[in-house]
Each structure stands twice: as C-alpha cells, then as structure tokens.
Amino acid sequence: MVGEEIVTSGSTSCQGCGHAILARLAFKAFGRKTIFTLVPGCIWITLSRNIPLFSTGTVFEGGGALVSGITNGLAARGIEDMNVVAFYGDGGTADIGLQGLSGAAERNENVFWICADNQAYMNTGGQRSGATPKYAQTTTTPASYIRRGKRTKRKNLPFIVAAHDVAYVGTASIAYPSDLVGKIEYAKGLKGFKFLHVQSPCPTGWGFSPSDTIKVARLTVQSGIWPLFEITEGNDFRLTYKPRELKPVGEALGLQRRFRHLTDGESQEIQSRVNGQWKQLLEIDGKRLPY
Amino acid sequence: MIEIRLHGRGGQGAVTASRLLATAAFLEDKHSQSIPMYGTERRGAPVTAFVRIGEKDKMVRSLIHEPDYVVVLDSLLRKTVNITEGLKDDGMLILNSSVPPEEIELLKPYKVATVDATGIALETLGRPITNTAILGAFVKATGEIGLESVIEAVKQQWKGTLGEINVKAVEAAYEATEVGDPKIVAEVVGEKAPAGSRADWRTFRPVVDLEKCTGCRLCWVYCPEHCIEMVDDKSVIDYAYCKGCGICVEECPVGAIEMKSESERGE
Ligand SMILES: Cc1ncc(C[n+]2csc(CCOP(=O)(O)OP(=O)(O)O)c2C)c(N)n1
Ligand code: SF4
Ligand code: SF4
Ligand code: SF4
Ligand SMILES: [Mg+2]
C-alpha cells in the first residue's frame, strides 16, 4: 500500500481502536493537501493530535456547516486542489450532525465526509445512537428480562445520503484496506459531495478482545452484516465485494459481548434480515437506483 | 480515617477495585467512599481511583492528595507514573510486581508489599485483570480490612463462577504477598521513553520471529499504532509506541508473532 504516512504513533485511543486503523489508511489516501475537521468524539479526543495537517473543530451540530464554509472559502480564493475532509463519528453524522450533513449534501458541497462508525456514542461511555444495530447492548440499552438491547434497527445511512443525489457514496471496512483506500483515491478526484461510511469496530464498546478488531470487521463483511458497495454518478450502484456464499452471522456476533444475550430466535432474526438485504443488494448490483 | 490511592490502567479494573474495597469497609460497618477519577480513560491508559474509609463525622468529600496507602495494579506503571506522590512518610505501597520488596527501588523508606498479581490473575481468571488479586495483597499487607469482607464484596459484585474465580484470585494473592523494606536509592531511574510513548500501556509485548516472517506486510497494514516498520522485508516493532493490542499476532498468516508477558523481561 503506497501513500505517505501522515498519522503518527502515540495516540491515546484504546488498544486495538478501529478509528486509529481507519485514520492511518484514510490519510495515506488523502495525502498532505488536506484540511480535516472535527466534531466531538473519540477521533477528536484521542487521535486528532496525531494527524499533523491543518484542522479545526466545532460543535456537534456544526460539522456540515464547517466543511461547507471551508470549501467555499477556498473556492473564493481560487484554491481547488485541497481535500476538505469531515472526519466524524456516527453520532456526529447519523444523529446530531444529520441536518448539517443533509444540507451540505443537498448543496453538493465539494467536501469528503467520512463517517467512522463505531455504532454508539463511544467517547462519552457508549450510549446508543441511530447507528446502533438492533439488539446491541449499550449503556443506555441494557439487556434484561424486559429489554433485549436496542429496540430498533440502525438507520440506513449510505442510502439516506445517496437520496441527495451526490457525487459519491460508498461503504468500507478496515479489514479490506485496498478497497477502502481505492475508494478514497477514486472519489477524492470527484467534484461535489463525497460520503464514505466506514465501519470502525470498537473493542471497548462492543466488548471484544483488542486483538480481534480486524477479525470482527472481516467477519461482518464476509457474513453480509456490513456489505461493501459504492454509488457513483448519483445512482449507479455496485457491490465491491461479492463472496459466492455468505458466512453465518453467528461467528461475528459471537465475538462481541454486546450481543451475548441473544437468544437463538433473535440471532435467527438477524440472519434472515441480513439474507434478505443481501438478496436485494444483489438484485440492484450493477444497476441504476430509481431516482 | 485512612485514605488510599489506586493506580491502574484502563481495563484492569482499578475503579472496580476501589468500589470493592469501599463495599468491604461498609460491610464492616465503617463509612467509606469510592472515588473514581474520571477523564477520558481508554483501555490501556493510566487510571487513578481513590478510597476513603473512616467514621461518619470525620468524612470529607475531596480528592485524596496525601494517601496512607498507594495500590498499584500494573507492574510497569511505577516506571512512568509518580506513584509515591504525596504518600505519607509512614505510608505503604502495595505493588503488583513479581520481585520481592527488597528489590523495589525507592527514594524514601516506605513499607512495601509485593505480589505477582498479573501471574495470579492469569492463573485464576485467565485474563490479566488484577483488581481482585491486588485486594488480597492489600488485606494481607495492611490488615485494615478483613479478608472475609473483601470476599463478600467480591461475591456481591459477581455471581456464580465469575465470583468464585475472583475469590480464588483474592485468596491466592493473600497467601503470596510479601511485605518488606525497599532498596533506597538516590535516584529512581525511570524508563527513558520518547514523547508520547505508550510502552506502559502493555501487559504483553509482541515478539517477531524473524526466521518465520515472510515480509507479507499484513501486520504493518493493520497495526493501529503505526509502530511496525518493514526493514529488509522483515517486521520490526517500535516498542516505545506499541500498545500491545495483539492485532499483529492475530493477523500474521504464518504465526510469526507471539505475545510474551512483559514481566518476563525481568523487572
Ligand atoms: C450537543 C452535544 N451533545 C453532547 C455532547 C457530548 N459528547 C461529546 S463526544 C460524544 C459522543 C460522540 O459519539 P460519536 O459521534 O459516535 O463519536 P465516537 O466517540 O463514538 O467516535 C458526546 C455525546 C457534545 N459535545 N455536544
Ligand atoms: S472507545 Fe472505542 S472508538 Fe473510542 S478510543 Fe476506545 S476503541 Fe476507539
Ligand atoms: S504479518 Fe507476519 S509474516 Fe507478514 S510481515 Fe508481519 S510478521 Fe512477517
Ligand atoms: S501489538 Fe502489534 S498491532 Fe498492536 S500496537 Fe503492538 S505492534 Fe501494533
Ligand atoms: Mg460513535
């Protein structure tokens, strides 16, 4: 994997943090001509000092406005060759940051938004977010005899963004670094709004051994829980990883303490939903989405 | 009133240890407080917690600056964190260490208790979580709390097997703890670590077998700390920054990397 090393050692993220692996791969792909922005979260607190590029941060709600302002300011000064990167968590993207994301996407601002999705508000101790999957335990969705973890499914974030008809939407995984880096290298050359939704397993919040970060990421892709795809030119859909056969979801879920309470019936429900979704994705693979 | 400061690393359970100790004191009809020091403690990062035990009308609600006891859950932490800061002259250190008290280097003649809590935790729990073992050492070394009270607090915290194996950890540490006088030195030579070093976050260190390494670079690609360099097509780890997560061990396709316990280096 080529690309200059930008992220330095010595961050304060947990042992085995997915965000740390993602940051290194992503900034290798962006290169030095990059400005990145922050909203509150683990990336800002534990990692941002180890990314020696120009950066600035704002309140949770302000991420979309911040990148929009920067890119328009640069354009006004005739600077066209900088990557303006939003590097936010799922809270800063899917929940609190959603209105700003939608505004920037609708205006097709020339920015690159990466959502580092660890599926909860991890910096504040792991509260559920709109990106937390169904049944997952978080500190605000404990499992007990009356509750089974989170009650509802996670938002379908890439399709929400795609519905804005933007330059690029993709999903990626840190277990598939060449797919991830390839997507950034391709999309950073496009003008307009680029969105990459990267799963970022969190050993602390999901409850797995720090040595298993890549293993968990890989198993979720191989089982279809985290499909890899991209949507180009507004609505051109393509799966970028198509195993002939999906692995059962049990292996990926079994490694994570947040799913330890699952009954067979609940695991089966997750399995059938994943199967159904995968079938739909195969049907639209290589086709234009209907909008 | 006695005041205790605990040092550990995120994931070793220092905050739980402080709670267990306060609960054990409470079970003995004493007044107690468990005070976690909240920050952004990440798994592996140094963590501090406090316990205060005393009588009702003498209790205050401040942080503890001059403890009577300092309890250290991690064996390497004392090389990078100033663990004796503010410790009263007649105070005592209870250390997780595989060496006897006489080999612990200190500036002042504090009483020292040592126990190989990591070894005991690995034997009893199968994981290097040292919070219950170190409590066994605290009981033995200080006599401030009864062994039965600590065991009861542990049983209240964890039911079933988890409770049982933690009780075993407490008992094994109680048996193995040694109390003595440290080696007094003019200067404690800490590890010379570069800025931002994370060396003290590790319990295990990955060691590469250069014979087996095929130079595939997978460990280099996935290491979250960017502390692996490929030198002549072999994986070389910078131990100043390796946090000991074990991803490289898990991902190496030929099993060329092995985790070795840090304390085996001979402290
Ligand atoms: C408006 C507002 N609400 C709450 C907070 C507190 N807060 C800081 S970081 C954080 C969690 C961030 O979660 P996410 O965006 O998913 O990032 P992660 O830490 O999980 O990477 C919260 C709730 C805040 N800073 N601002
Ligand atoms: S809580 Fe999770 S996302 Fe945050 S630093 Fe730790 S491992 Fe990384
Ligand atoms: S993953 Fe294993 S074989 Fe490959 S470079 Fe690293 S140590 Fe060598
Ligand atoms: S254990 Fe391996 S992967 Fe983890 S920080 Fe150390 S060298 Fe990197
Ligand atoms: Mg998050």
Side-chain angles (χ1 to χ4, degrees), chain A residues 10-11 13 24 123 218, chain B residues 42 198 220 225-226 243 251:
Chain A
S11 81
S13 62
R24 175 178 178 229
N123 186 54
R218 187 183 295 116
Chain B
R42 308 291 156 170
R198 300 287 167 241
W220 172 85
E225 309 310 326
H226 335 137
K243 288 180 190 158
E251 294 304 318

Side-chain angles (χ1 to χ4, degrees), chain A residues 19 39-45 58-61 88-96 115-127 129 131 200 202, chain B residues 42:
Chain A
H19 285 355
V39 293
C42 283
I43 292 170
W44 190 341
I45 301 299
T58 187
V59 293
F60 240 137
E61 307 80 341
Y88 308 157
D90 48 297
T93 301
D95 292 343
I96 310 183
C115 174
D117 188 358
N118 55 19
Q119 308 191 331
Y121 289 90
M122 293 306 179
N123 186 54
T124 40
Q127 297 80 10
S129 78
S200 186
C202 165
Chain B
R42 308 291 156 170

